[in-house]
Amino acid sequence: MRRLNDFLLASLIPLLTLLYLYVSPFTKVEESFNLQAVHDILTYGFPHEDIATKLRAQYDHFSFPGAVPRTFVGALALAKIAEPLIWLSKSLDRQILGSYPFSVLLKSPVRAILGLYNAFSILAFRNGVRKTFGRQAANWYLLLQASQFHIIYYASRTLPNMFAFGIATRALRGFLPSVSPLTNATTGSNQVRLSICLLAIAGVVFRSELAILLTTHVAYLLYQKRVSLREAIAVGISGALIGLIATVPLDSFLWLRFPLWPELAGFYYNAIRGNALQWGTSPWYFYFTNALPRLLMNPLNWLVCIPLAIGMKATRKASIDVLAPLLAFVTIYSFQPHKEWRFILYAVPGMTAVAAAGASWIWTRRSKNLAYRVLSLALIASTLASFAVSAGMLAMSRLNYPGAEALSRVHALGQGSRIVSVHMDTLSCTTGITRFLEKPPPQNIMGHNSTLWIYDKTEDPQMLLSPAFWDRFDYALAEKPEKVIGRWEIVGVVKGFAGVRILRPGEETVEHAKNGRPLQLTWKMTMADMYHALLHLWDMFELFMRQHVTKGWWLGVRMEPKIRILRKQTGPYNIVPP
């Protein structure tokens, strides 16, 4: 029974990762480089002749290079792992993004592969928590980690940080102190060396801030005498060389620049030249007062559980061993003026593990006195509340991709036409549209119901002022339709998330994806049926809470028009108001 319980708790992490991916399958501009790179590798492969011409013509990063070059290592790994799965069923789309979110989990493995890798990295870390703090703490770790929104939601998102996250989490598992008698000195030393090597590789290839994380851990290991300086330097250099061998030849080839080390170029551009300041600055205490509380989600994690784990003699040393290098990493990184929560994401599993040790201490003593019983009930309530808040954040996050929704509607409108050309403006392209959403050319354009789709992402302001430019298109996706020149009609308006609002008693949730379909639970449910079933279940939950708990009060989402779908008019000029 204990093994079954452990298995069910462990399954929460990968299942929630896939569920989050299913509910919110589209991506934003921050994730686009790696996603477009996966598409291009799967579609075009690597040219063997006329390399420069073909790369520039086919690969997206030459049209939209970004401020700094990024590595193709993660994209190549995802593409090659996904390739045999795609080959098994060529009728499936090649990415988790289909023409509509209902095609999700069965359609393509690309983002699911990354999400599951990060999920199983968390489970590997859980095994280390079990050796350090015990089985009960490991189970609490799973509950606390699963209830935190950001890691689960972003686990499948192709940010460089999330490619680094899985490697870093597996590395940090090797740094966890072990109280197990089965772990001998040789095994522990090997784990430490492997962890140093992994962090060095991930820092060189994906995210340079991991150099700080590696430095704080090596310094603490030297203090504990768990590793020698000579050994740490040798292993670190070995990992760095492996990373350089992986990134420099591949990225120099695909960027047509030799030699190119993308992470070094990014570090120089953002940190040395200070261009990161263009994205805003935050006070030095931002990570401690804003980012970490949001990432840890449950307020009892930092208000009760972590202080308790440090305060109790039985868990004090192990808790300090885990926390000290992580807090040192966050502190050092706080001197960088530009701050984002994803820069310190790697510290969350370790801090959650210490919180889990405190939660386990409370839970195992819940029958001893009233204080522990009250704290145990508070733990349960706050964890359930964290799951509820995460569900709400997931629902709101799904509404942030009007571009993908708009392109899906255009595909439905233009289906059956012989050739359809569509212009997509900047907002559309940065809110969900990727090459995976573009329809591939039909094998036989003269075949029944075959449509050749032509896509355009022109941003040049001079070209956008030319009437001849707009004459090429049948449809246009536009944030500001008044800037589209010619005779057009608005055939659709896609709304997007614009904040939250307080609903008073008697006020209905109007901004919701309801469609009036009855709830039908069968074994033959399609993905669309499952999606609408989730909506109905949420409606039932909202109705119950408003009637019996909140007395009619509720938090709703506020939506506003984001993108207009315009269709070329061949007759008299007519603009249909939104």
Side-chain angles (χ1 to χ4, degrees):
M1 190 63 182
R2 291 176 62 179
R3 288 187 176 182
L4 178 61
N5 289 337
D6 292 350
F7 173 79
L8 292 175
L9 283 173
S11 66
L12 270 178
I13 303 296
L15 289 179
L16 283 176
T17 299
L18 294 178
L19 176 64
Y20 279 34
L21 173 55
Y22 167 72
V23 173
S24 183
F26 300 124
T27 56
K28 277 198 171 182
V29 63
E30 296 88 350
E31 307 151 50
S32 64
F33 171 80
N34 281 298
L35 205 55
Q36 308 284 36
V38 173
H39 171 277
D40 294 342
I41 292 171
L42 287 171
T43 303
Y44 307 114
F46 294 161
H48 300 290
E49 56 185 18
D50 200 10
I51 293 172
T53 301
K54 289 183 177 180
L55 285 177
R56 288 193 172 97
Q58 296 172 339
Y59 273 62
D60 183 80
H61 66 284
F62 285 104
S63 299
F64 302 94
V68 294
R70 292 295 183 188
T71 182
F72 279 83
V73 172
L76 177 62
L78 284 184
K80 291 306 176 183
I81 295 172
E83 208 166 33
L85 301 176
I86 294 164
W87 177 83
L88 288 174
S89 182
K90 294 186 178 180
S91 64
L92 300 183
D93 290 344
R94 288 167 297 171
Q95 195 239 3
I96 200 65
L97 312 178
S99 61
Y100 217 69
F102 311 139
S103 53
V104 180
L105 293 180
L106 298 178
K107 279 226 162 184
S108 158
V110 172
R111 279 186 54 200
I113 290 170
L114 178 61
L116 290 175
Y117 173 73
N118 283 322
F120 284 103
S121 295
I122 291 172
L123 294 183
F125 190 83
R126 183 281 309 259
N127 294 336
V129 173
R130 182 168 184 161
K131 291 182 179 180
T132 301
F133 294 113
R135 173 181 170 272
Q136 197 72 252
N139 287 340
W140 271 106
Y141 168 76
L142 290 173
L143 282 173
L144 296 176
Q145 190 74 81
S147 67
Q148 296 168 1
F149 171 77
H150 291 84
I151 286 181
I152 303 299
Y153 183 76
Y154 282 89
S156 66
R157 299 192 167 266
T158 51
L159 290 164
N161 309 78
M162 299 318 299
F163 283 99
F165 176 80
I167 301 173
T169 301
R170 288 180 177 270
L172 295 178
R173 181 253 182 274
F175 292 143
L176 290 174
S178 177
V179 296
S180 172
L182 299 177
T183 303
N184 56 44
T186 301
T187 302
S189 180
N190 289 337
Q191 289 179 347
V192 167
R193 286 196 293 268
L194 177 61
S195 295
I196 293 173
C197 185
L198 288 174
L199 276 182
I201 293 172
V204 165
V205 175
F206 295 114
R207 292 299 304 183
S208 58
E209 68 259 18
L210 290 178
I212 303 174
L213 187 65
L214 175 59
T215 300
T216 59
H217 275 87
V218 168
Y220 198 76
L221 291 170
L222 291 172
Y223 166 74
Q224 292 181 306
K225 298 182 180 179
R226 291 176 61 188
V227 69
S228 68
L229 180 60
R230 180 178 180 180
E231 188 178 34
I233 292 174
V235 175
I237 291 176
S238 298
L241 289 175
I242 293 172
L244 288 172
I245 292 171
T247 184
V248 172
L250 174 67
D251 294 313
S252 298
F253 171 78
L254 289 173
W255 283 96
L256 300 178
R257 293 164 53 184
F258 186 85
L260 176 64
W261 176 5
E263 255 325 280
L264 179 61
F267 176 78
Y268 177 76
Y269 179 85
N270 289 312
I272 304 302
R273 295 181 58 185
N275 286 298
L277 300 179
Q278 298 175 10
W279 304 103
T281 61
S282 301
W284 67 268
Y285 50 80
F286 170 82
Y287 287 138
F288 293 99
T289 61
N290 186 301
L292 283 175
R294 281 192 294 129
L295 291 170
L296 294 173
M297 186 69 75
N298 190 333
L300 291 188
N301 281 342
W302 71 87
L303 292 176
V304 176
C305 295
I306 290 178
L308 184 63
I310 296 173
M312 295 297 103
K313 185 177 180 180
T315 56
R316 180 182 301 149
K317 185 181 184 304
S319 297
I320 293 174
D321 288 346
V322 174
L323 284 176
L326 295 176
L327 293 178
F329 160 67
V330 176
T331 300
I332 294 172
Y333 213 177
S334 294
F335 288 97
Q336 172 67 20
H338 175 63
K339 299 176 178 65
E340 296 184 36
W341 61 263
R342 57 192 176 95
F343 296 163
I344 60 164
L345 191 68
Y346 325 104
V348 173
M351 298 186 72
T352 304
V354 176
S360 174
W361 182 275
I362 293 170
W363 185 252
T364 54
R365 287 158 179 79
R366 63 189 183 279
S367 61
K368 289 191 173 183
N369 57 51
L370 180 61
Y372 282 122
R373 283 196 292 273
V374 171
L375 285 174
S376 296
L377 290 174
L379 272 176
I380 295 173
S382 61
T383 303
L384 291 175
S386 295
F387 275 110
V389 171
S390 293
M393 294 175 69
L394 173 63
M396 290 185 286
S397 296
R398 188 187 180 279
L399 304 174
N400 278 319
Y401 305 97
E405 173 72 21
L407 185 58
S408 297
R409 293 193 195 180
V410 169
H411 285 155
L413 290 168
Q415 186 61 35
S417 301
R418 204 52 91 203
I419 300 176
V420 180
S421 58
V422 54
H423 170 75
M424 303 171 292
D425 71 353
T426 300
L427 181 62
S428 302
C429 293
T430 56
T431 56
I433 291 178
T434 70
R435 285 191 168 188
F436 277 108
L437 285 185
E438 297 177 2
K439 298 281 189 180
Q443 293 182 349
N444 179 14
I445 192 173
M446 303 305 296
H448 175 67
N449 209 30
S450 296
T451 302
L452 174 63
W453 288 88
I454 301 172
Y455 302 93
D456 177 79
K457 301 178 182 179
T458 299
E459 297 177 327
D460 186 344
Q462 294 301 317
M463 292 187 66
L464 295 177
L465 292 175
S466 169
F469 170 81
W470 294 102
D471 287 342
R472 300 158 42 196
F473 304 112
D474 302 295
Y475 291 89
L477 305 181
E479 179 184 10
K480 298 179 179 179
E482 65 273 14
K483 293 188 176 183
V484 180
I485 300 172
R487 298 177 180 271
W488 300 83
E489 64 172 335
I490 297 178
V491 295
V493 178
V494 180
K495 294 183 178 181
F497 179 73
V500 297
R501 61 195 183 100
I502 298 177
L503 299 177
R504 299 176 180 275
E507 190 176 1
E508 293 187 4
T509 308
V510 294
E511 304 293 358
H512 203 285
K514 298 177 181 177
N515 65 355
R517 293 169 55 175
L519 177 59
Q520 295 179 343
L521 300 177
T522 68
W523 291 106
K524 296 182 178 181
M525 292 176 67
T526 64
M527 297 295 280
D529 294 331
M530 291 175 61
Y531 174 75
H532 287 287
L534 287 174
L535 291 181
H536 277 283
L537 291 174
W538 178 261
D539 292 339
M540 293 167 60
F541 172 73
E542 176 185 333
L543 181 63
F544 174 82
M545 293 295 291
R546 295 187 73 176
Q547 287 182 347
H548 303 286
V549 179
T550 66
K551 305 301 182 183
W553 294 87
W554 196 248
L555 278 178
V557 296
R558 182 167 54 86
M559 305 283 282
E560 64 182 25
K562 295 289 186 180
I563 296 173
R564 278 76 174 178
I565 303 172
L566 284 75
R567 181 167 56 195
K568 175 70 67 65
Q569 283 283 83
T570 56
Y573 182 81
N574 179 35
I575 289 290
V576 180

